[in-house]
Amino acid sequence: MVNLLLGHRRALFATLLCLLALPNLVTAQNREPAPSPSSEIAAVITHPTLEEATIGILAVDLASGEVLIDYIADKPLIPASVNKLFTVAAALWRLGPAFVWQTPLAYTGNRLGTDDETITGNLWALGRGAPDIVEEQLWVAARAIHARGITLINGDLVVDDRYFDNERFGQSWPGGVQVQEAYHAPIGALMANYSAYRKGDEWVAVEDPALYFGERLHALLNLAGVKISGEVRRPTIDELATLMLSDGTHPDNSRSGLPKPLQLLYTIHSEPLGRLALDVNKYSNNVMAEAILKTLGAADYGHPGTASKGLAVVAQFRNETLGTSLTDYVQADGSGLSNLNRVSPRQVVELLQHAHSDFHFGPEFVASMKISGMDGFNPRPFRDPPLVGELRLKSGHIRGVNTLSGYAHTESGRTVAFCLMINGHKSQQWEVDQRVAEFSKIIRLSY
């Protein structure tokens, strides 16, 4: 049975790799022609600010399944950050809301002394893909090491991020000056502060996530009273040959396995996945979404975790739980920053419908979406009645793309799952945001 399951997953993986190379997407299954939109919806989609845009909409009553709005809902469009919904749902489904990443800090050599102890060897930080390590956690780790009586590490701080591959960015991510922006930060198995640092009034992406992690830990250890005599560096070839990573064939691999002769000193624990899903979706954190995607890949297919492996797991989730064929969409990354992604509004709504009724991951999934006007980024109209507090949302924005999906509590008491996708607009972002808000008010007040 195990071999059969592995063979099934590998087949999905191979199929997905072929699909990612396709320049065009096979159209979704045939459906009846969509009804004409209401006059209110028509006024939104024919507004001059959307003159050149392609638009798809679907809204469904969750209780009855009644289709309230269906406008070109089967057309595959660029989802932008709405793509994160599929990544997060697959991770909650596969790993579970209680999944925790562990980042071991271990050492080689010996410990000498009784009060002020010295480690005669190197300190190792072993990345396991944790997406949420920030300055405070590194400070707690530094203080904990000092509390164990250690004052000197007579060696180097070695950063090991082999748990993921060396691809730092997603497929078809924008280049140019944008690679310096925090939202475009590089992905690694050993990251701190979401691979970004403060520079004046801005957050700037780091160049090497693992080395940056090591530099911050080195500085905080020194501040806590633990001196490291050597430098921050990556493992040598000889060290890599000696310290083999543990086998990575099951989802607990990120919490287990310490290569010999390393000896554990301290472990940094992440927040549970169910909690981190909030940060991914409410604040649309690209770095976290991609780290989760690669963790999925390592969990099912072994390290190094890659985007392609992770996408195979997402494909399995979409096929087994949503019944979505691999030929009906393209998912190129975990975050939605890639312009290669294609998904239809109907597929998004089908995910929302399934998650709303799935006990095992649905509560965390729904809670991960921002509350309109109350957390995450919200254009001005969402901060006031009738929208404030009445929608659970995931929005998406990249050049020429505005998307909005989620759940709406209507004035009549219904709960509606919906998805609006706008592609190819030529207007300013704030202008399109106004149209999105108008659409949201129609959902809220008219149904």
Side-chain angles (χ1 to χ4, degrees):
M1 178 61 72
V2 172
N3 289 336
L4 181 62
L5 288 172
L6 286 175
H8 177 58
R9 289 176 183 156
R10 290 188 180 109
L12 282 169
F13 179 32
T15 304
L16 182 68
L17 288 177
C18 294
L19 285 168
L20 289 177
L22 290 176
N24 298 305
L25 182 70
V26 180
T27 57
Q29 58 186 337
N30 294 327
R31 297 180 184 271
E32 292 297 319
S36 299
S38 68
S39 59
E40 292 177 303
I41 295 295
V44 173
I45 63 182
T46 59
H47 193 277
T49 55
L50 303 180
E51 183 177 4
E52 299 182 53
T54 300
I55 301 170
I57 307 172
L58 186 68
V60 176
D61 182 288
L62 279 177
S64 67
E66 178 188 357
V67 176
L68 306 176
I69 306 171
D70 185 338
Y71 179 74
I72 319 180
D74 292 303
K75 185 174 182 61
L77 298 169
I78 302 173
S81 283
V82 166
N83 201 54
K84 291 182 176 71
L85 294 179
F86 292 97
T87 304
V88 168
L92 290 169
W93 168 78
R94 180 69 182 93
L95 302 175
F99 180 83
V100 171
W101 283 261
Q102 295 190 13
T103 305
L105 304 178
Y107 67 94
T108 56
N110 301 303
R111 290 174 60 173
L112 306 175
T114 54
D115 296 323
D116 296 333
E117 291 192 0
T118 296
I119 290 178
T120 59
N122 298 320
L123 177 65
W124 282 64
L126 295 115
R128 292 292 185 267
D132 69 326
I133 297 176
V134 293
E135 202 87 349
E136 290 83 357
Q137 289 163 288
L138 295 180
W139 174 240
V140 169
R143 292 285 294 162
I145 291 172
H146 182 264
R148 296 189 60 178
I150 296 169
T151 58
L152 174 63
I153 297 173
N154 195 13
D156 297 329
L157 174 50
V158 184
V159 290
D160 185 352
D161 63 349
R162 287 176 288 166
Y163 195 68
F164 288 171
D165 65 2
N166 291 324
E167 292 294 329
R168 299 302 186 199
F169 304 107
Q171 187 177 189
S172 192
W173 278 18
V177 296
Q178 293 182 80
V179 299
Q180 301 174 12
E181 300 285 346
Y183 76 88
H184 197 292
I187 316 304
L190 190 62
M191 299 186 293
N193 302 325
Y194 314 110
S195 290
Y197 66 96
R198 192 82 176 183
K199 185 178 182 180
D201 295 330
E202 299 179 344
W203 283 93
V204 180
V206 305
E207 292 186 7
D208 188 312
L211 289 179
Y212 175 70
F213 178 101
E215 289 164 3
R216 296 310 307 143
L217 179 59
H218 189 289
L220 292 170
L221 281 167
N222 186 64
L223 189 62
V226 182
K227 178 177 174 56
I228 298 179
S229 63
E231 61 180 349
V232 176
R233 63 172 176 83
R234 292 183 174 279
T236 65
I237 294 176
D238 289 340
E239 287 171 330
L240 291 177
T242 303
L243 278 73
M244 300 297 292
L245 290 178
S246 61
D247 178 62
T249 57
H250 62 88
D252 282 342
N253 183 57
S254 63
R255 331 180 206 190
S256 64
L258 189 64
K260 295 180 180 180
L262 290 178
Q263 301 175 72
L264 184 64
L265 192 59
Y266 182 81
T267 300
I268 301 173
H269 293 83
S270 77
E271 293 284 342
L273 174 60
R275 163 64 187 83
L276 295 183
L278 276 70
D279 294 335
V280 177
N281 282 338
K282 286 182 183 290
Y283 302 100
S284 210
N285 192 307
N286 295 326
V287 172
M288 295 182 74
E290 299 301 337
I292 289 172
L293 183 71
K294 290 191 176 186
T295 298
L296 275 176
D300 263 27
Y301 296 100
H303 56 73
T306 68
S308 294
K309 290 178 182 178
L311 290 171
V313 182
V314 178
Q316 182 185 0
F317 163 74
R318 295 176 74 159
N319 181 259
E320 292 185 6
T321 66
L322 306 177
T324 308
S325 170
L326 280 166
T327 59
D328 287 341
Y329 70 92
V330 168
Q331 185 168 348
D333 67 3
S335 62
L337 196 54
S338 174
N339 61 11
L340 296 179
N341 293 305
R342 295 292 186 278
V343 64
S344 71
R346 190 177 306 279
Q347 290 163 3
V348 176
V349 170
E350 287 172 348
L351 170 63
L352 296 172
Q353 289 176 289
H354 177 86
H356 196 264
S357 62
D358 191 306
F359 175 82
H360 293 98
F361 77 85
E364 289 78 15
F365 177 87
V366 175
S368 75
M369 304 174 79
K370 62 186 175 185
I371 306 170
S372 55
M374 301 180 72
D375 58 13
F377 169 75
N378 288 271
R380 180 72 227 182
F382 289 88
R383 304 175 210 166
D384 298 318
L387 298 181
V388 62
E390 300 296 339
L391 301 97
R392 289 280 190 164
L393 300 172
K394 182 71 198 82
S395 57
H397 302 82
I398 58 177
R399 185 183 296 273
V401 174
N402 264 51
T403 57
L404 188 73
S405 63
Y407 306 97
H409 176 245
T410 72
E411 197 170 53
S412 66
R414 284 174 159 180
T415 302
V416 175
F418 70 91
C419 180
L420 164 68
M421 291 187 174
I422 302 171
N423 280 197
H425 70 77
K426 306 297 183 183
S427 301
Q428 295 293 319
Q429 196 70 64
W430 68 268
E431 293 178 303
V432 182
D433 283 339
Q434 300 305 307
R435 308 290 82 73
V436 172
E438 290 168 6
F439 164 81
S440 301
K441 288 178 182 178
I442 294 170
I443 296 287
R444 167 87 176 106
L445 300 176
S446 299
Y447 296 93

